[in-house]
Amino acid sequence: MGFRKDFLWGGATAANQCEGGFDQAGRGLANVDLAPTGPDRLAVITGKKKMFTFDDEHFYPAKEAIDMYHHYKEDIALFAEMGFKTYRLSIAWSRIFPQGDEQEPNEAGLKFYEDVFKECQKYDIEPLVTITHFDCPMHLVEKYGAWRSRELVGFYENLCHVIFHRYKGLVKYWLTFNEINMILHAPFMGAGLYLGDAEKPEQILYQAAHHELVASAIATKIAHEVDPENQVGCMLAAGAYYPYSCKPEDVWRSRQLDRENYLFIDVQARGAYPNYAKKELARKGIEIKMLPGDEELLQTHTVDFISFSYYSSRVASADPALAEQAEGNIFASVKNPYLKESEWGWQIDPLGLRITLNDLYDRYQKPLFVVENGLGAVDTPDETGYVADDYRIDYLAQHIEAMRAAVNEDGVELLGYTSWGCIDLVSASSGEMKKRYGFIYVDRDNEGHGTLKRSKKKSFDWYKKVIATNGADLSN
Ligand code: BG6
């Protein structure tokens, strides 16, 4: 027994990390364009430092990224050569609505994605489209304060109307918000929220999250109305929390931190705010303003499947000293002494993927989709430009193996797997090019130098074989 016959093997990217062409064909500026490389990045993406325009002191890697805007045909042909059944990509909102609040879309932006989807169709690659992968038009950030404003729900609804109609027949798998829980950890990157010295940042974050949750339910509703074939998923930055020890307080802390993330998916998949969340929000003095009809929308339009990213498990401790040490990370996690880590300190835990798959399936009983997983590493091409990335093959093989165990031995229902950054692209957390995930090497460095030439790494042929054998042969 192996993966289902129609298992969707593929790779994933996000518009802002690969397209570039930030000002092409009428595209408007977006929050994600304004995240620079270097020491200020963390403060900008977490909404602490205001960066609403480009300045001369910083380098902004998303402006050109790997220029997939002009290279998409070549790139999709390479994906097809690997045998991709699906390609996960996101649309840039500000290509379609440059300001975000217009009534009429920008035809050039719509046409661009239509061409991309048709290119996929040429090779029988099913697009899996993230409607927002962190991006929000800057005009919406400046005029409305991004998702803190209820008006964003209407603008997002308008976007959904337009894309579901225009791409009917070309796209049937949709994800509403990439890593929706990221809003709590990187609010400017995740949702355009600049918090500055806001008195009660959590009030803003949870209200904005509510707006996204309502928008997600509306998107699901419209998607199903426009085409009953449409399948809509939510998307969680996943990774189960382990208790640091079997001390009950550590176990309890791990449950609390898991719930902080599950809250979003509980709403999107089960249709209501869970009691634990209502209690916790009340304890924190957070009041979510709802409009009449919100609860019904959430209840009626739950997602069809649960998608998630998985890079690592996490560790929780009730010990204040250990907890403090964990706080510098985007997702607070104590180091796990049993695990190795990547060059960027991300811990490697394939069994954690099996655990996470089981946790999510036990909790929601809906089909799952692993839409991000991979190893960010420094690749060093040899004199011919070839990268022998055995470390990446090892990482991916172990994770696919864990996924297979979850399917075969535990009975988890899994629709597919798209590894992150199937072609090298800009890192979301660090803005670097040096942190590479791809099967395809792109000649570009952290400072934006390079020819942009694409070359196949060793993992390219390996993944091709994995797909051809439907995951049966993972050998290197
Ligand atoms: C996820 C995001 O958080 O992780 C991606 O959805 C991101 O956008 C990926 O690129 C890997 O993280 P990083 O920071 O290594 O790029």
Side-chain angles (χ1 to χ4, degrees):
M1 238 177 54
F3 295 103
R4 51 196 282 172
K5 271 206 199 81
D6 57 354
F7 193 78
L8 290 165
W9 293 100
T13 62
N16 75 87
Q17 292 170 256
C18 66
E19 276 178 10
F22 79 104
D23 57 355
Q24 297 285 299
R27 182 187 180 280
L29 202 62
N31 58 336
V32 283
D33 301 330
L34 290 151
T37 49
D40 287 334
R41 186 175 182 90
L42 187 64
V44 171
I45 67 178
T46 52
K48 293 181 184 126
K49 183 178 169 67
K50 192 170 185 176
M51 177 93 50
F52 282 9
T53 50
F54 298 124
D55 65 29
D56 296 335
E57 285 110 67
H58 293 90
F59 175 66
Y60 300 90
K63 286 170 92 172
E64 278 116 31
I66 59 159
D67 194 27
M68 205 192 251
Y69 185 74
H70 293 108
H71 289 254
Y72 72 89
K73 289 192 179 167
E74 177 188 349
D75 296 340
I76 293 171
L78 286 164
F79 301 157
E81 196 184 325
M82 275 187 277
F84 278 22
K85 313 280 181 220
T86 188
Y87 168 39
R88 176 180 175 228
L89 71 160
S90 75
I91 52 171
W93 188 347
S94 64
R95 266 194 212 293
I96 297 181
F97 287 96
Q99 305 268 305
D101 59 357
E102 303 93 331
Q103 280 305 306
E104 294 304 317
N106 170 28
E107 173 53 31
L110 277 173
K111 177 75 171 58
F112 170 70
Y113 291 110
E114 185 179 330
D115 292 345
V116 170
F117 300 145
K118 285 190 169 152
E119 202 61 24
C120 291
Q121 202 179 44
K122 216 162 99 180
Y123 301 104
D124 278 333
I125 295 177
E126 190 78 61
L128 165 60
V129 176
T130 318
I131 300 169
T132 37
H133 193 120
F134 296 156
D135 61 319
C136 182
M138 269 315 284
H139 173 73
L140 298 185
V141 172
E142 295 191 83
K143 180 157 178 203
Y144 304 91
W147 282 97
R148 55 158 67 71
S149 159
R150 175 81 195 197
E151 288 187 85
L152 270 270
V153 177
F155 303 140
Y156 183 88
E157 181 175 349
N158 200 19
L159 170 72
C160 288
H161 261 292
V162 167
I163 59 176
F164 293 154
H165 279 102
R166 176 69 173 246
Y167 304 132
K168 185 173 172 177
L170 284 171
V171 179
K172 75 169 193 241
Y173 289 97
W174 302 92
L175 305 179
T176 53
F177 289 90
N178 180 63
E179 298 192 335
I180 191 160
N181 49 328
M182 190 60 89
I183 195 170
L184 301 179
H185 307 278
F188 184 69
M189 179 173 76
L193 297 170
Y194 167 67
L195 298 169
D197 36 20
E199 250 174 54
K200 247 183 129 185
E202 282 199 308
Q203 171 66 42
I204 298 172
L205 295 180
Y206 281 99
Q207 185 64 49
H210 178 69
H211 295 149
E212 289 194 345
L213 291 167
V214 171
S216 175
I218 293 175
T220 310
K221 171 176 182 282
I222 308 171
H224 290 153
E225 283 166 1
V226 172
D227 187 350
E229 290 283 293
N230 276 330
Q231 292 285 306
V232 184
C234 53
M235 200 306 199
L236 170 75
Y241 272 97
Y242 301 158
Y244 186 70
S245 74
C246 52
K247 200 166 131 197
E249 285 77 7
D250 283 353
V251 178
W252 180 235
R253 186 70 194 132
S254 71
R255 296 281 159 84
Q256 288 176 312
L257 288 173
D258 267 339
R259 281 176 161 181
E260 209 174 272
N261 295 315
Y262 286 150
L263 151 64
F264 299 89
I265 310 305
D266 286 353
V267 177
Q268 289 175 294
R270 306 200 293 211
Y273 280 84
N275 285 347
Y276 70 80
K278 289 184 190 157
K279 293 279 186 194
E280 178 67 6
L281 292 173
R283 249 189 317 272
K284 288 181 163 167
I286 294 168
E287 197 196 326
I288 295 188
K289 284 189 207 71
M290 295 203 194
L291 291 189
D294 278 5
E295 283 176 320
E296 202 192 326
L297 270 172
L298 296 175
Q299 188 65 64
T300 319
H301 303 289
T302 53
V303 289
D304 301 307
F305 65 94
I306 316 286
S307 84
F308 65 93
S309 59
Y310 175 83
Y311 294 91
S312 187
S313 51
R314 301 163 183 148
V315 177
S317 164
D319 172 351
L322 281 173
E324 195 183 317
Q325 168 200 320
E327 259 167 24
N329 304 322
I330 284 200
F331 277 86
S333 173
V334 177
K335 284 271 180 227
N336 186 329
Y338 300 100
L339 300 177
K340 294 205 177 97
E341 57 186 39
S342 77
E343 288 153 298
W344 273 264
W346 291 25
Q347 295 203 286
I348 300 172
D349 181 12
L351 181 55
L353 175 56
R354 182 174 177 183
I355 294 168
T356 300
L357 280 158
N358 276 280
D359 281 356
L360 290 171
Y361 195 61
D362 286 352
R363 195 172 179 104
Y364 301 115
Q365 298 284 300
K366 292 201 182 201
L368 304 181
F369 205 141
V370 179
V371 296
E372 283 186 36
N373 171 239
L375 178 71
V378 179
D379 288 335
T380 315
D382 67 14
E383 54 297 341
T384 67
Y386 182 70
V387 176
D389 53 345
D390 297 277
Y391 38 90
R392 182 167 294 110
I393 294 174
D394 280 357
Y395 177 101
L396 293 171
Q398 288 177 42
H399 284 77
I400 295 172
E401 187 64 60
M403 213 163 66
R404 186 160 58 193
V407 170
N408 279 343
E409 289 166 45
D410 311 327
V412 164
E413 203 183 335
L414 189 61
L415 298 174
Y417 175 82
T418 57
S419 72
W420 176 248
C422 45
I423 179 165
D424 292 345
L425 38 63
V426 175
S427 154
S429 57
S430 75
E432 293 168 289
M433 268 307 298
K434 203 169 102 185
K435 190 177 185 192
R436 296 171 185 274
Y437 287 86
F439 305 113
I440 302 163
Y441 186 87
V442 179
D443 179 27
R444 186 166 170 94
D445 68 14
N446 282 355
E447 288 78 40
H449 308 119
T451 60
L452 293 172
K453 182 172 177 287
R454 277 71 167 143
S455 355
K456 300 172 196 171
K457 303 182 195 173
K458 186 174 180 187
S459 55
F460 185 100
D461 288 318
W462 173 81
Y463 197 46
K464 185 175 176 177
K465 180 185 65 183
V466 172
I467 298 177
T469 61
N470 200 20
D473 186 355
L474 300 176
S475 64
N476 182 359

mmCIF file of all heavy atoms in Angstrom, residues 208-228:
data_model
loop_
_atom_site.group_PDB
_atom_site.id
_atom_site.type_symbol
_atom_site.label_atom_id
_atom_site.label_comp_id
_atom_site.label_asym_id
_atom_site.label_seq_id
_atom_site.Cartn_x
_atom_site.Cartn_y
_atom_site.Cartn_z
ATOM 1 N N ALA A 208 -8.326 41.581 13.929
ATOM 2 C CA ALA A 208 -7.910 41.408 12.531
ATOM 3 C C ALA A 208 -8.066 39.939 12.128
ATOM 4 O O ALA A 208 -8.525 39.620 11.026
ATOM 5 C CB ALA A 208 -6.473 41.866 12.341
ATOM 6 N N ALA A 209 -7.695 39.050 13.030
ATOM 7 C CA ALA A 209 -7.828 37.615 12.734
ATOM 8 C C ALA A 209 -9.296 37.264 12.513
ATOM 9 O O ALA A 209 -9.629 36.484 11.614
ATOM 10 C CB ALA A 209 -7.251 36.794 13.885
ATOM 11 N N HIS A 210 -10.168 37.864 13.315
ATOM 12 C CA HIS A 210 -11.599 37.601 13.110
ATOM 13 C C HIS A 210 -12.022 38.035 11.703
ATOM 14 O O HIS A 210 -12.758 37.325 11.015
ATOM 15 C CB HIS A 210 -12.441 38.316 14.170
ATOM 16 C CG HIS A 210 -13.911 38.123 13.967
ATOM 17 N ND1 HIS A 210 -14.535 36.901 14.151
ATOM 18 C CD2 HIS A 210 -14.885 38.964 13.517
ATOM 19 C CE1 HIS A 210 -15.819 37.010 13.849
ATOM 20 N NE2 HIS A 210 -16.056 38.250 13.461
ATOM 21 N N HIS A 211 -11.541 39.177 11.276
ATOM 22 C CA HIS A 211 -11.886 39.632 9.930
ATOM 23 C C HIS A 211 -11.395 38.635 8.877
ATOM 24 O O HIS A 211 -12.099 38.339 7.903
ATOM 25 C CB HIS A 211 -11.297 41.024 9.662
ATOM 26 C CG HIS A 211 -11.881 42.084 10.548
ATOM 27 N ND1 HIS A 211 -11.187 43.186 10.955
ATOM 28 C CD2 HIS A 211 -13.104 42.177 11.133
ATOM 29 C CE1 HIS A 211 -11.956 43.933 11.742
ATOM 30 N NE2 HIS A 211 -13.123 43.330 11.866
ATOM 31 N N GLU A 212 -10.202 38.119 9.084
ATOM 32 C CA GLU A 212 -9.687 37.126 8.122
ATOM 33 C C GLU A 212 -10.535 35.854 8.159
ATOM 34 O O GLU A 212 -10.795 35.242 7.124
ATOM 35 C CB GLU A 212 -8.217 36.793 8.413
ATOM 36 C CG GLU A 212 -7.268 37.932 8.070
ATOM 37 C CD GLU A 212 -5.802 37.512 8.032
ATOM 38 O OE1 GLU A 212 -5.461 36.418 8.529
ATOM 39 O OE2 GLU A 212 -4.982 38.295 7.503
ATOM 40 N N LEU A 213 -10.938 35.463 9.346
ATOM 41 C CA LEU A 213 -11.742 34.231 9.452
ATOM 42 C C LEU A 213 -13.089 34.396 8.754
ATOM 43 O O LEU A 213 -13.554 33.491 8.051
ATOM 44 C CB LEU A 213 -11.932 33.851 10.926
ATOM 45 C CG LEU A 213 -10.649 33.380 11.632
ATOM 46 C CD1 LEU A 213 -10.834 33.316 13.143
ATOM 47 C CD2 LEU A 213 -10.213 32.008 11.095
ATOM 48 N N VAL A 214 -13.695 35.574 8.925
ATOM 49 C CA VAL A 214 -14.974 35.825 8.240
ATOM 50 C C VAL A 214 -14.738 35.867 6.734
ATOM 51 O O VAL A 214 -15.490 35.273 5.947
ATOM 52 C CB VAL A 214 -15.611 37.146 8.747
ATOM 53 C CG1 VAL A 214 -16.813 37.534 7.896
ATOM 54 C CG2 VAL A 214 -16.008 37.010 10.209
ATOM 55 N N ALA A 215 -13.656 36.538 6.326
ATOM 56 C CA ALA A 215 -13.334 36.629 4.896
ATOM 57 C C ALA A 215 -13.101 35.231 4.315
ATOM 58 O O ALA A 215 -13.516 34.923 3.191
ATOM 59 C CB ALA A 215 -12.095 37.497 4.690
ATOM 60 N N SER A 216 -12.467 34.376 5.099
ATOM 61 C CA SER A 216 -12.192 33.020 4.652
ATOM 62 C C SER A 216 -13.502 32.235 4.464
ATOM 63 O O SER A 216 -13.668 31.496 3.482
ATOM 64 C CB SER A 216 -11.284 32.331 5.679
ATOM 65 O OG SER A 216 -11.079 30.993 5.356
ATOM 66 N N ALA A 217 -14.446 32.430 5.386
ATOM 67 C CA ALA A 217 -15.748 31.744 5.257
ATOM 68 C C ALA A 217 -16.499 32.262 4.030
ATOM 69 O O ALA A 217 -17.108 31.483 3.286
ATOM 70 C CB ALA A 217 -16.575 31.956 6.524
ATOM 71 N N ILE A 218 -16.419 33.566 3.810
ATOM 72 C CA ILE A 218 -17.097 34.139 2.634
ATOM 73 C C ILE A 218 -16.458 33.595 1.354
ATOM 74 O O ILE A 218 -17.152 33.243 0.399
ATOM 75 C CB ILE A 218 -17.038 35.689 2.668
ATOM 76 C CG1 ILE A 218 -17.880 36.198 3.841
ATOM 77 C CG2 ILE A 218 -17.518 36.287 1.351
ATOM 78 C CD1 ILE A 218 -17.820 37.709 4.063
ATOM 79 N N ALA A 219 -15.138 33.497 1.354
ATOM 80 C CA ALA A 219 -14.442 32.961 0.171
ATOM 81 C C ALA A 219 -14.910 31.529 -0.097
ATOM 82 O O ALA A 219 -15.161 31.146 -1.251
ATOM 83 C CB ALA A 219 -12.934 32.985 0.395
ATOM 84 N N THR A 220 -15.037 30.754 0.956
ATOM 85 C CA THR A 220 -15.456 29.363 0.799
ATOM 86 C C THR A 220 -16.873 29.309 0.214
ATOM 87 O O THR A 220 -17.165 28.519 -0.687
ATOM 88 C CB THR A 220 -15.401 28.650 2.175
ATOM 89 O OG1 THR A 220 -14.115 28.907 2.754
ATOM 90 C CG2 THR A 220 -15.599 27.163 2.036
ATOM 91 N N LYS A 221 -17.705 30.187 0.731
ATOM 92 C CA LYS A 221 -19.092 30.246 0.237
ATOM 93 C C LYS A 221 -19.109 30.578 -1.262
ATOM 94 O O LYS A 221 -19.718 29.856 -2.061
ATOM 95 C CB LYS A 221 -19.826 31.344 1.032
ATOM 96 C CG LYS A 221 -21.199 31.711 0.550
ATOM 97 C CD LYS A 221 -21.792 32.749 1.532
ATOM 98 C CE LYS A 221 -23.190 33.156 1.154
ATOM 99 N NZ LYS A 221 -23.239 34.100 0.065
ATOM 100 N N ILE A 222 -18.401 31.640 -1.631
ATOM 101 C CA ILE A 222 -18.435 32.056 -3.049
ATOM 102 C C ILE A 222 -17.810 30.973 -3.926
ATOM 103 O O ILE A 222 -18.318 30.667 -4.999
ATOM 104 C CB ILE A 222 -17.676 33.380 -3.274
ATOM 105 C CG1 ILE A 222 -18.158 34.460 -2.305
ATOM 106 C CG2 ILE A 222 -17.869 33.888 -4.698
ATOM 107 C CD1 ILE A 222 -17.303 35.722 -2.344
ATOM 108 N N ALA A 223 -16.707 30.398 -3.469
ATOM 109 C CA ALA A 223 -16.033 29.374 -4.283
ATOM 110 C C ALA A 223 -17.004 28.240 -4.600
ATOM 111 O O ALA A 223 -17.094 27.779 -5.748
ATOM 112 C CB ALA A 223 -14.824 28.828 -3.540
ATOM 113 N N HIS A 224 -17.752 27.806 -3.607
ATOM 114 C CA HIS A 224 -18.698 26.700 -3.817
ATOM 115 C C HIS A 224 -19.867 27.119 -4.703
ATOM 116 O O HIS A 224 -20.359 26.316 -5.498
ATOM 117 C CB HIS A 224 -19.207 26.182 -2.472
ATOM 118 C CG HIS A 224 -18.148 25.453 -1.691
ATOM 119 N ND1 HIS A 224 -18.146 25.373 -0.327
ATOM 120 C CD2 HIS A 224 -17.033 24.784 -2.089
ATOM 121 C CE1 HIS A 224 -17.092 24.667 0.087
ATOM 122 N NE2 HIS A 224 -16.398 24.308 -0.984
ATOM 123 N N GLU A 225 -20.286 28.379 -4.572
ATOM 124 C CA GLU A 225 -21.398 28.847 -5.405
ATOM 125 C C GLU A 225 -20.982 28.960 -6.868
ATOM 126 O O GLU A 225 -21.714 28.590 -7.768
ATOM 127 C CB GLU A 225 -21.877 30.237 -4.939
ATOM 128 C CG GLU A 225 -22.733 30.185 -3.694
ATOM 129 C CD GLU A 225 -22.905 31.574 -3.045
ATOM 130 O OE1 GLU A 225 -22.370 32.573 -3.597
ATOM 131 O OE2 GLU A 225 -23.551 31.630 -1.995
ATOM 132 N N VAL A 226 -19.783 29.476 -7.077
ATOM 133 C CA VAL A 226 -19.333 29.714 -8.453
ATOM 134 C C VAL A 226 -19.062 28.389 -9.173
ATOM 135 O O VAL A 226 -19.351 28.240 -10.348
ATOM 136 C CB VAL A 226 -18.071 30.619 -8.476
ATOM 137 C CG1 VAL A 226 -17.479 30.715 -9.872
ATOM 138 C CG2 VAL A 226 -18.399 31.996 -7.945
ATOM 139 N N ASP A 227 -18.499 27.443 -8.447
ATOM 140 C CA ASP A 227 -18.197 26.158 -9.079
ATOM 141 C C ASP A 227 -18.194 25.065 -8.002
ATOM 142 O O ASP A 227 -17.280 25.016 -7.165
ATOM 143 C CB ASP A 227 -16.810 26.237 -9.749
ATOM 144 C CG ASP A 227 -16.504 24.992 -10.567
ATOM 145 O OD1 ASP A 227 -17.261 24.010 -10.452
ATOM 146 O OD2 ASP A 227 -15.504 25.019 -11.310
ATOM 147 N N PRO A 228 -19.179 24.189 -8.027
ATOM 148 C CA PRO A 228 -19.243 23.141 -7.005
ATOM 149 C C PRO A 228 -18.013 22.238 -7.009
ATOM 150 O O PRO A 228 -17.755 21.522 -6.039
ATOM 151 C CB PRO A 228 -20.498 22.343 -7.372
ATOM 152 C CG PRO A 228 -21.239 23.153 -8.368
ATOM 153 C CD PRO A 228 -20.293 24.125 -8.991
#
